[in-house]
Amino acid sequence: MIKISPSVLSADFLNFTDEIKTMEDLGVDMLHLDVMDGIFVPNISFGNPIIKSIKAHTKLPLDVHLMIDKPHRYIKDFAKYADILGFHFEAGSDNAETLKEIRNLGCRSCITIKPCTEPEEIFDLLPLCDMVLVMSVEPGFGGQKFMDSALNKLSKLKSEIDRLGLNIDLEVDGGINGETAEKAVKAGANVLVAGSYLIGSQEIAERVKYLKSL
Ligand code: DX5
Ligand code: ZN
């Protein structure tokens, strides 16, 4: 069963309760929260105070995607409200230790790779992961075009996860729409992040239904 994780980057945070309710009613599986620090990526979004407020308004699991430099410095803070806590392989932390810390703090752990990283580079970390996130755009902005190079990465990761017999979700993020979602699912993804395709669309109900049917 495909899981949907809408990215709320472009939402109106002062009128957000209605949007959360809509997504809950549509049966999405979690909310994807993009934290950007202006250093690891050339954009700044929001931090833990916003995540804390969102947590108070929904029972949906929070899928927190940290796009910040040296994420180990902030794992304890984000673990207070995150259900799944993901950070970038390339961000300058001890990746194995950070994954272990996330699990020790009671969250599901996720390592994320940018388009420049090959899947083989994270194979040894897989036993420490509950989810792996493959970026299909350069992280930093919503509304970009899906990079087909993500497909081969998803397939390789899926094969390795199966070979190791691990129970790991495989998430894809960036440029997901009806067409790219289908390709990503065929390649092995089972969690779809979708921002501009869902948030603000008049067809959000049909689109969520379609993505879940893949
Ligand atoms: C980009 C973020 C994404 C983004 C996705 O760095 O990680 O989650 O919001 O937006 P779309 O689906 O519009 O590409
Ligand atoms: Zn994201």
Side-chain angles (χ1 to χ4, degrees):
M1 181 72 166
I2 301 303
K3 298 177 199 171
I4 312 300
S5 189
S7 165
V8 300
L9 200 52
S10 60
D12 174 355
F13 287 106
L14 293 184
N15 286 299
F16 195 42
T17 39
D18 290 349
E19 271 171 312
I20 291 181
K21 177 86 173 61
T22 305
M23 288 187 273
E24 286 175 343
D25 291 348
L26 291 175
V28 307
D29 299 272
M30 55 192 104
L31 293 180
H32 184 85
L33 305 179
D34 290 300
V35 176
M36 304 180 185
D37 67 352
I39 295 173
F40 182 70
V41 289
N43 197 6
I44 297 176
S45 59
F46 52 79
N48 227 18
I50 295 283
I51 298 179
K52 182 182 179 185
S53 303
I54 295 174
K55 185 78 184 167
H57 285 93
T58 184
K59 292 211 157 40
L60 286 171
L62 302 185
D63 167 26
V64 175
H65 175 191
L66 297 180
M67 285 164 272
I68 65 175
D69 192 47
K70 302 188 181 63
H72 62 276
R73 297 174 296 160
Y74 296 103
I75 293 301
K76 273 198 191 66
D77 292 339
F78 285 103
K80 287 183 199 154
Y81 311 111
D83 294 279
I84 305 168
L85 186 50
F87 65 95
H88 272 267
F89 174 78
E90 309 85 358
S93 289
D94 179 324
N95 291 317
E97 284 308 313
T98 306
L99 287 165
K100 283 184 211 161
E101 187 186 3
I102 291 172
R103 279 185 170 173
N104 287 339
L105 290 166
C107 294
R108 298 183 69 222
S109 61
C110 173
I111 192 107
T112 303
I113 57 171
K114 295 211 296 181
C116 62
T117 301
E118 292 305 323
E120 291 81 1
E121 297 178 61
I122 63 163
F123 277 2
D124 61 333
L125 295 170
L126 291 176
L128 299 172
C129 298
D130 297 300
M131 183 159 85
V132 171
L133 168 53
V134 173
M135 290 305 297
S136 40
V137 295
E138 284 299 337
F141 299 91
Q144 301 183 76
K145 189 175 178 298
F146 183 88
M147 296 164 76
D148 278 328
S149 54
L151 297 172
N152 197 25
K153 294 183 185 186
L154 289 167
S155 307
K156 286 185 178 168
L157 282 161
K158 173 74 176 139
S159 304
E160 184 64 7
I161 289 167
D162 289 350
R163 194 184 70 80
L164 296 171
L166 296 168
N167 181 20
I168 300 180
D169 281 325
L170 193 49
E171 182 176 54
V172 61
D173 179 9
I176 290 295
N177 56 35
E179 189 191 322
T180 56
E182 198 178 333
K183 291 197 268 185
V185 168
K186 280 209 181 98
N190 73 316
V191 184
L192 302 171
V193 176
S196 45
Y197 182 60
L198 296 181
I199 306 295
S201 164
Q202 298 297 317
E203 293 158 47
I204 184 168
E206 294 81 357
R207 289 180 176 187
V208 168
K209 203 169 160 202
Y210 172 69
L211 293 181
K212 284 192 83 75
S213 75
L214 289 172

